[in-house]
Amino acid sequence: MASLVQGVYVMERDRQGNRHGSDARAPAWWRFFHFEVREVLVDADDSSIFGAVYAFQPPWHLLDPAAAAAAAPHYVVAFRGTITKKASASRDLTLDLQLVGNGLDRTSRFHGAMRTVHAVVAAASAGHQHHHRVWLAGHSLGSAISTLAAKSMARAGVALPTFLFNAPFPSAPVERIGDRRVRQGVRIASSFVTAAAATLLHHGSGGGGYDAFAALARWVPNVFVNPGDPISAEYVGYFDHRKKMEDIGAGAVGRVATRNSVKDLLLGIGTAGGCEPLHLFPSAVLTVNRGTSPDFKAAHGIHQWWRPDLALECAAHYY
């Protein structure tokens, strides 16, 4: 999945570098895994390539290609993150700012992505394929687009397998605090403050907000993070802290806090009539890269996820 996302990055770099045909560098990223590109997603505002629909082509030289493909996706819809090159930087950075303000769902890029996801799921159904054969994948900004699309589909009763690499978690970087006891203390205090704010705003004690969050519990995305990445690292503490709150007898407070954030509540995000926080998940399979990352580029980059020497921790968290 990481390589298919990289294929989208390289397609856009090919476009910017005017590389076509045999000079294009992107195809190797999907052909190696027996995929082909069925559709390229282009942003209407700057003509940049931000996503692609891949179709799996089983290697027919195998003795039983049908069995080999049984657990594979039929389609993958992949989205790249931010590219800081001149031709795409302005649009991508504008979307990053809208992501922080929880406004990504109102952008033309997301609307185009959502139309494509609906169309691919419909095509899979028409071809008598179960919707679980349609997978979503994204990195950074692309993870946020994948998250919005997957949540929308999950509310409609369609839980799509989703792979989120270095997904943004817009919050104070508590995970970067070195002292474990201080880190836990900050999280516990934050949970009580968040729960109190949610209750005061008539949202945290049950009702619509709880129902909307709990309705997503059957969607279990695969979330890949690096503790050295300030953009995604908070997911480590977000999920681990739930158990800690249960252990100290404050599970009810933890359950309210896990579906709210103070910043978003004050902005009307997650309250009745508002949109929900993008970065909060009821359930997930969390994979953490515990390997050494010398700098931000290494910790946040998509390239870390196909290294042969990864030191990974994986745990499932259910709401």
Side-chain angles (χ1 to χ4, degrees):
M1 292 301 102
S3 292
L4 296 182
V5 173
Q6 175 70 355
V8 182
Y9 273 110
V10 182
M11 271 196 281
E12 171 56 17
R13 293 183 180 123
D14 281 345
R15 183 190 73 87
Q16 294 186 22
N18 201 29
R19 296 189 295 260
H20 305 286
S22 61
D23 293 329
R25 300 173 183 174
W29 289 97
W30 57 79
R31 288 176 179 167
F32 182 85
F33 296 100
H34 307 286
F35 283 87
E36 65 177 26
V37 173
R38 289 291 178 87
E39 182 181 352
V40 175
L41 281 63
V42 177
D43 192 300
D45 283 22
D46 68 350
S47 299
S48 66
I49 295 170
F50 71 91
V53 178
Y54 297 100
F56 183 56
Q57 301 299 306
W60 297 109
H61 64 275
L62 297 180
L63 292 176
D64 189 354
H74 192 76
Y75 297 108
V76 176
V77 187
F79 305 99
R80 67 165 175 85
T82 302
I83 294 179
T84 55
K85 300 293 184 182
K86 184 178 180 180
S88 54
S90 177
R91 174 62 169 161
D92 286 356
L93 293 173
T94 297
L95 291 169
D96 289 335
L97 292 175
Q98 290 177 299
L99 185 161
V100 173
N102 229 70
L104 193 60
D105 60 327
R106 297 186 292 274
T107 65
S108 61
R109 182 176 292 190
F110 170 69
H111 291 159
M114 196 69 246
R115 286 193 297 270
T116 297
V117 172
H118 278 297
V120 172
V121 171
S125 299
H128 306 290
Q129 296 282 350
H130 193 274
H131 60 71
H132 75 261
R133 301 293 297 276
V134 177
W135 294 10
L136 303 181
H139 173 250
S140 195
L141 173 61
S143 280
I145 294 173
S146 296
T147 297
L148 280 171
K151 283 186 172 184
S152 177
M153 297 303 293
R155 288 190 207 95
V158 179
L160 301 178
T162 308
F163 297 78
L164 306 174
F165 300 96
N166 300 89
F169 194 109
S171 175
V174 178
E175 191 62 26
R176 304 298 298 278
I177 297 174
D179 190 299
R180 181 181 59 83
R181 290 174 296 179
V182 173
R183 192 165 61 240
Q184 287 182 348
V186 170
R187 292 195 190 284
I188 291 170
S190 176
S191 290
F192 278 96
V193 170
T194 301
T199 302
L200 287 173
L201 292 170
H202 309 287
H203 178 68
S205 58
Y210 173 82
D211 293 340
F213 190 76
L216 296 172
R218 63 188 296 268
W219 169 63
V220 186
N222 299 279
V223 182
F224 300 83
V225 304
N226 186 318
D229 171 24
I231 292 176
S232 66
E234 255 331 276
Y235 278 111
V236 178
Y238 173 73
F239 286 109
D240 289 350
H241 183 61
R242 294 184 186 182
K243 184 177 185 304
K244 180 63 177 178
M245 292 297 286
E246 294 284 351
D247 291 344
I248 66 172
V253 172
R255 284 188 290 276
V256 174
T258 199
R259 60 182 185 267
N260 295 285
S261 78
V262 172
K263 172 183 74 70
D264 291 334
L265 286 168
L266 294 177
L267 292 174
I269 299 168
T271 57
C275 55
E276 71 176 37
L278 168 67
H279 58 289
L280 305 183
F281 300 154
S283 307
V285 174
L286 182 70
T287 300
V288 182
N289 180 5
R290 294 294 184 183
T292 302
S293 300
D295 52 30
F296 170 76
K297 184 177 180 180
H300 186 66
I302 186 69
H303 56 278
Q304 67 185 291
W305 300 109
W306 58 74
R307 289 177 57 91
D309 58 345
L310 285 172
L312 301 177
E313 291 180 0
C314 184
H317 301 269
Y318 299 105
Y319 188 66

